[in-house]
Amino acid sequence: MSKLNATAFEFVPGRGFGPRQPQQSAPPQPPAPAFERHEETEAPAPAPTISLNIGGPKPTPTAPPAAAPAKAPVSAPSAAPVPAAKPSSQAKATPPTSTTPSRTPGSASPAPAAAPSSKTFTLDRAKTDTATIAQEVAAVADREVLEDLFGDIKEHLNIVFIGHVDAGKSTMGGNILFLTGMVDKRTMEKYEREAKEAGRESWYLSWALDSTPQERLKGKTVEVGRAYFETTARRYTILDAPGHKTFVPSMISGAAQADIAILVISARKGEFETGFERGGQTREHIMLVKTAGVNKVIVVINKMDDPTVGWEKARFDEIKDKLTPFVRGAGFNLKTDVTWLPVSAYTGANLKDRVAKSVCSWWDGPSLLEHLDKTPMVDRKMNGPVMMPISEKYKDLGTIAVGKVESGHIRKGDTLLLMPNRDEVEVAAMYNEMEDEVNVAVSGDNVRLRLRGVEDDDISPGFVLTSPGKPVHAVRHFEAQLAILDHKNIICAGYSAVLHVHTLAEEVTLSALLHYFDKSTGRKSRKPPQFAKRGQRVVALIETSAPICIERFVDYPQLGRFTLRDEGKTVAIGKVTKLVEHSIEEAAENLANLSLNAAA
């Protein structure tokens, strides 16, 4: 355009508008020098290699390659050697010089080294490895917490004795206490003398656990008995659950505090059949401990010394074959979760020491205490928030609360929150199973706490002591998956039953049935069902009259699994899937109060 209009103005930054200046011709540039290729006298250094290794074995560094035999000189330079991948620990930006052999013009290039097998980075491998690493780190952290709190201390397990009435649960617990030295010979002789005077000579071993006159007179455990014993490897808390169907709520409370269940079966002719048939407690107890969160069960076949049995293998196998399908149906893995042992609780055979070959020639397995010492340890949540459901309370120079620490650890002097009332309390003192005062209790311990800042009238079994920073949820409405086990009629919306969760027993109402699960596909229905019957799995909205302390099953299994009972029978088992913190009715009630206050 400037050539067409010679008088046109031009704009140059830094200068004003003006007529276009004539262009000056640039001086001629000197010609560029010709490119010269220098002859290579040395192999070029290989580029630095950075390798990423996530999981798998550590790659081994490759040895420097050996030089090939000399050949005739060639005119064209040979290709550079292929660099070998270096391990991640040596992956740096500095090029390696010592491992690269020099080359003279009269030598050929060395043969390339064989590269190590490549480690392919995959998301699956990363997930597996990071999960394993996280578990190892958590285990080390928990071990360090224990060592920091207690020093070198034995592992602790809670075991619950379950089974039909008169199977020998209390007798077995009393004999274990005697064999491990927790009850001395003089005390046991006193029990034997008193039992003989009362006409109950064979019951004296059970008196170590059955302490009330009512229990000793009738020979039936009413409340969950507690005791403590130690072996060379571990510490144990015994929870002796009642076997009579009238006291099943107490049995559920005891099972909720246990890590391992010992199912006691009477091998005496007629007694096993009575306990296992419909109406007996053997079936219900197996199912209830699984619902309470116990994943390991030891089936102890007792009274093998009875004249009707005589340590016969045929009777042992008969009971095992009859129980196996039902134990499997309750959800236990027969290979990893269930163990079968023959014992005699009254004589002590196969409790602490193995039964003699002269008595039982066919048994080659361990004794009961040997097996307990070798049982894999359960997982403890040492570093989680404090959660301790209260199983009982009483007044003794202050308010005493008893329970098992499900998560975290408690120190003397800690300030905790008592849910669902949200009362702040202080731990004034702590006592272990031996009534010795301790300064720290960790997850899995059964302890008694003396609390300051609350009266015993303000505490009920089922309340939970928790961390103020992350308290347990207290709700009146929640959604749950239910498996209907046994009910003579159909279950509809509005049905009421008693809910048993951890140490709490509370009356609840099924407000609505939301979905049912198709047996063939396992999928949830879109439309809500009109009713639920035996054998079905449903999702229901459950309502309580007062707030209760629960958690979702996926977050805290021990506080998220429950049992529904009605008319003395277990109707359903279930797990909490969703917490409804603020219901519509509460919101409407708050709105009504707000409008009333505004009008006033």
Side-chain angles (χ1 to χ4, degrees):
M1 293 294 291
S2 61
K3 290 181 181 179
L4 296 177
N5 190 358
T7 61
F9 285 86
E10 68 174 352
F11 173 73
V12 178
R15 226 167 52 196
F17 282 100
R20 181 178 176 79
Q21 299 294 330
Q23 292 184 355
Q24 297 181 359
S25 62
Q29 296 290 335
F35 178 74
E36 297 182 4
R37 182 185 294 274
H38 297 283
E39 184 180 357
E40 289 186 2
T41 58
E42 240 180 52
T49 304
I50 298 176
S51 61
L52 177 63
N53 180 32
I54 296 183
K58 185 177 179 181
T60 55
T62 56
K71 292 184 180 179
V74 290
S75 58
S78 305
V82 179
K86 297 183 71 62
S88 58
S89 59
Q90 298 177 357
K92 295 183 181 178
T94 56
T97 55
S98 59
T99 59
T100 307
S102 61
R103 183 169 69 98
T104 58
S107 65
S109 62
S117 59
S118 63
K119 298 291 180 186
T120 307
F121 176 81
T122 62
L123 195 59
D124 292 340
R125 171 175 289 179
K127 281 182 181 177
T128 305
D129 291 341
T130 51
T132 306
I133 291 169
Q135 287 179 359
E136 291 175 357
V137 169
V140 171
D142 290 346
R143 221 167 23 243
E144 289 177 353
V145 168
L146 272 179
E147 290 177 1
D148 180 46
L149 296 176
F150 289 111
D152 188 14
I153 193 168
K154 295 177 183 177
E155 294 174 330
H156 181 227
L157 276 177
N158 300 282
I159 56 177
V160 61
F161 288 107
I162 60 171
H164 191 65
V165 64
D166 289 337
K169 300 182 294 297
S170 299
T171 300
M172 184 178 298
N175 210 346
I176 287 175
L177 294 178
F178 175 64
L179 293 173
T180 53
M182 302 310 294
V183 176
D184 56 13
K185 189 176 180 181
R186 184 176 178 181
T187 305
M188 201 56 79
E189 287 175 350
K190 175 191 169 190
Y191 289 156
E192 186 175 8
R193 188 170 59 251
E194 291 176 352
K196 192 173 182 179
E197 292 172 358
R200 304 284 189 267
E201 188 174 354
S202 62
W203 293 0
Y204 74 96
L205 288 168
S206 66
W207 286 18
L209 286 168
D210 292 344
S211 55
T212 64
Q214 178 190 359
E215 291 176 330
R216 290 184 175 182
L217 181 64
K218 294 186 177 181
K220 292 178 183 177
T221 305
V222 175
E223 297 179 348
V224 177
R226 291 174 181 273
Y228 173 82
F229 71 94
E230 283 190 29
T231 63
T232 54
R234 284 176 177 167
R235 302 176 297 135
Y236 296 93
T237 297
I238 291 178
L239 300 161
D240 182 27
H244 199 274
K245 62 181 179 181
T246 309
F247 309 114
V248 168
S250 297
M251 177 264 161
I252 295 174
S253 174
Q257 304 169 56
D259 302 313
I260 295 177
I262 296 181
L263 175 62
V264 184
I265 303 292
S266 173
R268 183 178 289 164
K269 296 282 185 180
E271 285 192 0
F272 163 70
E273 288 75 10
T274 303
F276 186 64
E277 290 170 0
R278 183 173 290 275
Q281 295 308 112
T282 302
R283 292 169 177 253
E284 188 175 19
H285 280 202
I286 295 173
M287 186 184 53
L288 287 174
V289 292
K290 183 63 177 177
T291 310
V294 177
N295 294 319
K296 302 280 185 185
V297 63
I298 303 172
V299 183
V300 172
I301 298 176
N302 188 23
K303 302 187 182 180
M304 291 294 289
D305 61 320
D306 192 80
T308 63
V309 182
W311 290 95
E312 290 180 2
K313 189 175 188 299
R315 180 63 172 168
F316 179 83
D317 291 339
E318 177 192 352
I319 294 173
K320 182 177 177 181
D321 293 341
K322 286 184 178 179
L323 275 176
T324 296
F326 192 79
V327 173
R328 187 195 294 115
F332 292 100
N333 187 327
L334 293 175
K335 293 183 179 179
T336 58
D337 299 340
V338 184
T339 310
W340 307 82
L341 296 174
V343 302
S344 171
Y346 187 72
T347 63
N350 216 35
L351 287 183
K352 183 180 180 183
D353 301 322
R354 297 190 182 189
V355 61
K357 286 289 183 182
S358 59
V359 177
C360 181
S361 58
W362 51 270
W363 180 252
D364 296 322
S367 65
L368 177 60
L369 293 187
E370 283 178 12
H371 178 72
L372 283 172
D373 284 344
K374 294 177 182 177
T375 302
M377 193 62 187
V378 296
D379 185 26
R380 304 288 195 202
K381 293 185 178 180
M382 300 288 183
N383 299 314
V386 174
M387 288 189 185
M388 176 182 152
I390 295 173
S391 58
E392 56 181 290
K393 49 93 179 186
Y394 57 91
K395 200 162 189 173
D396 181 16
L397 299 177
T399 304
I400 304 291
V402 184
K404 176 191 172 188
V405 183
E406 294 290 352
S407 172
H409 53 273
I410 304 174
R411 296 176 184 268
K412 182 179 177 181
D414 280 356
T415 299
L416 302 175
L417 206 60
L418 183 64
M419 296 291 286
N421 290 351
R422 307 189 79 86
D423 295 328
E424 278 202 2
V425 297
E426 182 185 346
V427 181
M430 275 192 296
Y431 305 92
N432 61 11
E433 297 91 343
M434 300 295 294
E435 298 295 336
D436 298 328
E437 189 169 351
V438 293
N439 293 323
V440 182
V442 297
S443 176
D445 286 350
N446 273 283
V447 290
R448 301 171 189 269
L449 305 181
R450 177 173 281 117
L451 302 177
R452 186 180 295 135
V454 66
E455 295 295 326
D456 79 307
D457 294 337
D458 299 330
I459 302 178
S460 296
F463 282 20
V464 177
L465 284 170
T466 181
S467 302
K470 192 176 181 182
V472 66
H473 289 92
V475 297
R476 287 184 54 205
H477 298 78
F478 61 92
E479 288 183 16
Q481 280 187 25
L482 293 176
I484 312 299
L485 300 175
D486 186 14
H487 197 257
K488 58 185 179 182
N489 298 320
I490 60 175
I491 294 176
C492 303
Y495 173 75
S496 296
V498 178
L499 171 88
H500 294 269
V501 55
H502 52 85
T503 58
L504 173 71
E506 181 80 14
E507 187 167 350
V508 298
T509 304
L510 271 63
S511 303
L513 301 178
L514 305 178
H515 309 279
Y516 72 89
F517 288 88
D518 192 333
K519 284 187 177 181
S520 57
T521 62
R523 295 181 179 177
K524 286 195 296 188
S525 65
R526 294 185 179 180
K527 294 182 179 179
Q530 297 295 321
F531 59 88
K533 59 184 180 180
R534 180 179 176 182
Q536 278 191 329
R537 288 173 57 225
V538 296
V539 177
L541 179 65
I542 299 178
E543 179 183 353
T544 64
S545 56
I548 61 171
C549 299
I550 54 172
E551 290 285 346
R552 291 195 312 155
F553 178 80
V554 293
D555 298 331
Y556 293 94
Q558 203 61 33
L559 301 182
R561 49 165 69 93
F562 62 88
T563 307
L564 286 180
R565 286 179 56 82
D566 187 22
E567 298 178 357
K569 293 187 301 183
T570 300
V571 175
I573 58 176
K575 59 182 181 181
V576 180
T577 56
K578 182 181 178 182
L579 302 176
V580 184
E581 303 225 20
H582 299 288
S583 66
I584 299 172
E585 292 83 354
E586 288 177 354
E589 186 179 344
N590 293 337
L591 188 62
N593 293 337
L594 185 64
S595 57
L596 286 173
N597 293 336

